[in-house]
Amino acid sequence: MPPEHAPHVDKEFADQEDVYEHTGRPAVKAALSARHCCIFAYGQTGSGKTHTMLGTPATPGISPRIVDEIFSELDSMAVKNGVTYSIEISFMEIYNERVKDLFSDDPLSPSSAGSGSLMRKKSKKSIKVFEDANNEYRDLKVRNSPSVGVYVEGLKRLGKEQGIRNAEDVKKVMRSGMEHRATAETNMNATSSRSHAIFQICVRSKNEVKGIQRYANINLVDLAGSERINLSGAEGTRLVEATRINLSLSTLRRVIDILIENYQRKKNDPKLVPPYRDSTLTWILSESLGGNSVTMMIATVSPFEGNREDTVNTLRYAFKAKSIINTVRVNEERSNVVVSAMTREIELLRMKLEEAAADPEAAENINNEINALEGMTKSNAEKTLEEQNAIREQLEMLQRAHEEAEAVKRELNDLQSQNVEEGLENAKVEKELVEKTLASKMAEAEKQRAVVRKYEEALEKERKVRQELEDKKEVVRKREELFRQEVMLVKRKQFALAFQKAFARAGQTSEI
């Protein structure tokens, strides 16, 4: 972390401004210098991920602050540098491993934009999910192209032509998208996000004089929180959602582990392949996790004592993720615009030269400028041609690799289709074998259950016999006790009778 972003030591808790200074502002600087960047909030459900990324009108989060600063910076840079800038935005969610566009057909309309906080409230147990073509949203496919990389096919990208002209327009469509995000109530969170949300800002700049086009993507990711089923009380649809969320987050952790292991390996050791394709989330963010991107993780934790284990796990993975080092490069393209611009400049200077023919000194200066521009034009044209040839060769190599991969895929499909009958027959034989084995196991289990039943019956009989013996012993003991009492009674009577006789004799003797 740069010194200027060192943590504050005079505060017990960080506020939204502190979080933005450590994450959002560096991301804006990276994007304006044509470097991809990504910020994602990671933590258990209810720990404040959505609040950190979006915030409220009183305390805006990272996303609206980034939007405000980008437009402010672009306005000032356009005036200083004479460079034209453009911004495009897109908003998607990953719900049950399916990608959905969160922008409606007219996101800037008052009915779509909503009002108030980006953190919206929904009714109890409410959820909005669009699953078929008859609804407002449809499932989108994640594709991979040799020239573009991983992208979402059919995802809406809104720019100036669609009415996005300032920061307020962007925040307006952001609110519109959040109104359509899947949420539901659980025991741990009243407005639990049931999907991963990715808000992407694409910043493009064009310098016609130098013939340079630059671009950068900012991915702002609000992950759904991991949750324990026994604590959240998820069941039915909520249970399916929680299972998919936990699986995608487990894949994210495995990807991070493998990226760390690859970094720790020696230079000549073979590298492991991260399982990006095992989850839609990691597949879309593959470039951000281990490629050309400045990536920052915000670890959100809960102060509740019962969440101690989840807090420790979150901090452990955040600490491990710091070991990943991405190779970030400036994303720029050179075009023939520079040659045409310099050619126009030369023509203008020639016209000035003709007009200044009466002034030898001015004519000489203009002639020198023309010669310098012609040299720069020739040099830039050669450089542009070389870069275009190199790019063309790379694209051809990628295209050939893509065609070879498609050919291998077709061969595999052919082999699978040829072996499908054999596979079905083998499956049938295996099924019969399994059924026979299962039947024999069930028969054996039934025999064992019969033996157990007999053993239990014998134990029950033995218990009854023992109980009868105990009852008889108790009767005998009572009889013995009665007999002892009767004997004692007889002895007492005999003693009393003997005492009376002795007393009678003593009386008679005294009389005499």
Side-chain angles (χ1 to χ4, degrees):
M1 183 180 296
E4 61 270 18
H5 301 302
H8 295 281
V9 296
D10 58 342
K11 288 185 178 181
E12 184 176 1
F13 297 103
D15 53 23
Q16 296 280 54
E17 180 67 27
D18 295 326
V19 176
Y20 178 74
E21 289 293 331
H22 288 77
T23 57
R25 182 150 290 138
V28 172
K29 291 181 179 179
L32 295 180
S33 60
R35 293 175 174 85
H36 296 319
C37 55
C38 175
I39 302 175
F40 65 95
Y42 174 87
Q44 72 173 117
T45 182
S47 57
K49 296 180 298 299
T50 304
H51 176 76
T52 301
M53 297 303 296
L54 298 175
T56 63
T59 57
I62 293 174
S63 299
R65 290 175 186 265
I66 284 180
V67 171
D68 289 335
E69 183 161 353
I70 283 180
F71 275 93
S72 176
E73 290 291 330
L74 292 184
D75 291 341
S76 61
M77 291 172 64
V79 174
K80 293 178 182 178
N81 304 331
V83 179
T84 58
Y85 293 91
S86 64
I87 288 182
E88 291 182 338
I89 58 174
S90 60
F91 204 2
M92 71 185 100
E93 74 170 353
I94 303 172
Y95 174 78
N96 282 350
E97 291 299 299
R98 301 158 74 180
V99 182
K100 300 180 185 297
D101 196 335
L102 290 178
F103 284 154
S104 62
D105 291 334
D106 188 11
L108 285 172
S109 64
S111 59
S112 298
S115 61
S117 170
L118 291 171
M119 296 273 292
R120 71 273 181 236
K121 294 182 179 180
K122 292 198 174 186
S123 60
K124 187 175 182 180
K125 303 291 183 185
S126 67
I127 186 168
K128 288 191 176 183
V129 180
F130 304 94
E131 296 185 350
D132 55 56
N134 296 324
N135 287 318
E136 189 175 359
Y137 296 96
R138 67 184 187 281
D139 295 330
L140 304 177
K141 303 298 182 183
V142 182
R143 306 293 188 189
N144 187 21
S145 169
S147 58
V148 180
V150 179
Y151 68 98
V152 179
E153 185 179 44
L155 185 67
K156 293 187 185 71
R157 299 182 71 92
L158 306 182
K160 191 173 182 180
E161 296 180 355
Q162 289 77 26
I164 304 298
R165 301 183 183 277
N166 50 48
E168 291 303 320
D169 291 337
V170 175
K171 289 187 282 187
K172 192 174 183 180
V173 297
M174 194 185 298
R175 284 193 293 269
S176 171
M178 288 302 298
E179 289 294 333
H180 296 93
R181 187 179 176 188
T183 62
E185 182 180 358
T186 66
N187 293 341
M188 299 182 69
N189 191 354
T191 56
S192 174
S193 300
R194 314 309 291 172
S195 65
H196 308 299
I198 303 175
F199 187 78
Q200 187 178 81
I201 305 172
C202 181
V203 182
R204 297 181 181 274
S205 64
K206 185 176 181 181
N207 190 327
E208 295 186 355
V209 176
K210 295 182 179 181
I212 298 176
Q213 296 183 8
R214 291 185 170 187
Y215 62 94
N217 294 327
I218 304 177
N219 289 319
L220 303 173
V221 186
D222 179 17
L223 297 177
S226 60
E227 60 182 67
R228 297 188 180 184
I229 308 301
N230 58 340
L231 295 179
S232 65
E235 56 184 15
T237 305
R238 302 293 88 76
L239 178 60
V240 175
E241 296 165 354
T243 303
R244 295 290 179 86
I245 290 170
N246 290 339
L247 285 175
S248 64
L249 294 177
S250 297
T251 304
L252 175 62
R253 290 192 287 268
R254 284 191 289 119
V255 167
I256 291 175
D257 289 339
I258 291 178
L259 290 173
I260 294 171
E261 186 174 349
N262 286 341
Y263 174 71
Q264 294 173 346
R265 291 194 171 197
K266 295 181 180 179
K267 186 176 181 180
N268 296 328
D269 291 346
K271 304 295 184 181
L272 300 176
V273 179
Y276 292 122
R277 289 178 177 265
D278 289 359
S279 169
T280 305
L281 173 68
T282 53
W283 185 223
I284 292 176
L285 296 179
S286 56
E287 187 73 9
S288 299
L289 294 173
N292 174 30
S293 175
V294 178
T295 303
M296 288 165 276
M297 173 194 287
I298 300 175
T300 60
V301 296
S302 170
F304 179 53
E305 174 67 21
N307 296 333
R308 176 186 294 180
E309 184 176 351
D310 294 295
T311 297
V312 172
N313 291 335
T314 299
L315 295 176
R316 181 184 295 117
Y317 265 96
F319 183 77
K320 292 174 66 175
K322 291 174 65 176
S323 303
I324 301 175
I325 297 180
N326 288 349
T327 303
V328 185
R329 63 178 184 272
V330 176
N331 304 289
E332 67 177 16
E333 300 173 349
R334 291 181 177 270
S335 64
N336 289 327
V337 176
V338 62
V339 179
S340 59
M342 287 186 174
T343 303
R344 289 195 301 271
E345 186 69 19
I346 290 172
E347 293 298 328
L348 291 174
L349 289 173
R350 289 189 187 279
M351 293 174 61
K352 289 182 180 180
L353 180 60
E354 293 177 359
E355 294 175 358
D359 188 353
E361 185 177 353
E364 184 178 357
N365 292 335
I366 294 174
N367 195 28
N368 291 335
E369 291 183 11
I370 291 174
N371 293 333
L373 281 174
E374 286 179 344
M376 292 175 59
T377 302
K378 184 178 179 181
S379 175
N380 282 325
E382 293 175 354
K383 187 176 181 180
T384 301
L385 182 61
E386 291 176 359
E387 291 178 351
Q388 288 178 346
N389 291 334
I391 293 172
R392 190 178 297 108
E393 290 177 359
Q394 292 179 0
L395 289 176
E396 290 175 356
M397 290 175 61
L398 290 172
Q399 186 64 30
R400 285 196 297 271
H402 184 65
E403 291 174 355
E404 291 175 0
E406 290 295 330
V408 171
K409 185 177 179 180
R410 286 194 296 271
E411 290 179 3
L412 288 174
N413 291 333
D414 294 340
L415 289 174
Q416 289 176 355
S417 61
Q418 290 174 3
N419 297 330
V420 65
E421 294 182 358
E422 182 181 352
L424 289 174
E425 186 64 26
N426 293 336
K428 185 177 180 181
V429 173
E430 291 179 0
K431 181 182 177 182
E432 292 176 354
L433 180 61
V434 170
E435 289 178 349
K436 290 180 181 179
T437 304
L438 181 61
S440 63
K441 294 288 185 183
M442 291 180 66
E444 184 179 354
E446 186 62 31
K447 291 180 181 178
Q448 292 178 353
R449 282 196 292 269
V451 171
V452 171
R453 283 196 297 271
K454 289 181 180 180
Y455 178 72
E456 291 177 348
E457 291 174 357
L459 287 177
E460 182 65 21
K461 288 180 180 179
E462 183 181 356
R463 189 189 64 79
K464 290 181 179 179
V465 171
R466 288 182 178 180
Q467 185 65 37
E468 290 177 358
L469 288 175
E470 292 293 330
D471 294 342
K472 289 179 180 180
K473 286 181 180 180
E474 182 68 18
V475 171
V476 171
R477 187 186 64 77
K478 289 181 178 180
R479 288 179 178 178
E480 289 178 350
E481 182 67 22
L482 289 173
F483 179 74
R484 282 195 298 270
Q485 292 177 0
E486 290 177 356
V487 169
M488 289 296 296
L489 184 61
V490 170
K491 287 183 178 181
R492 288 176 180 175
K493 288 181 179 180
Q494 290 177 351
F495 177 78
L497 183 61
F499 181 78
Q500 289 178 356
K501 288 180 179 180
F503 184 77
R505 285 195 298 270
Q508 293 176 359
T509 304
S510 60
E511 288 179 0
I512 295 173

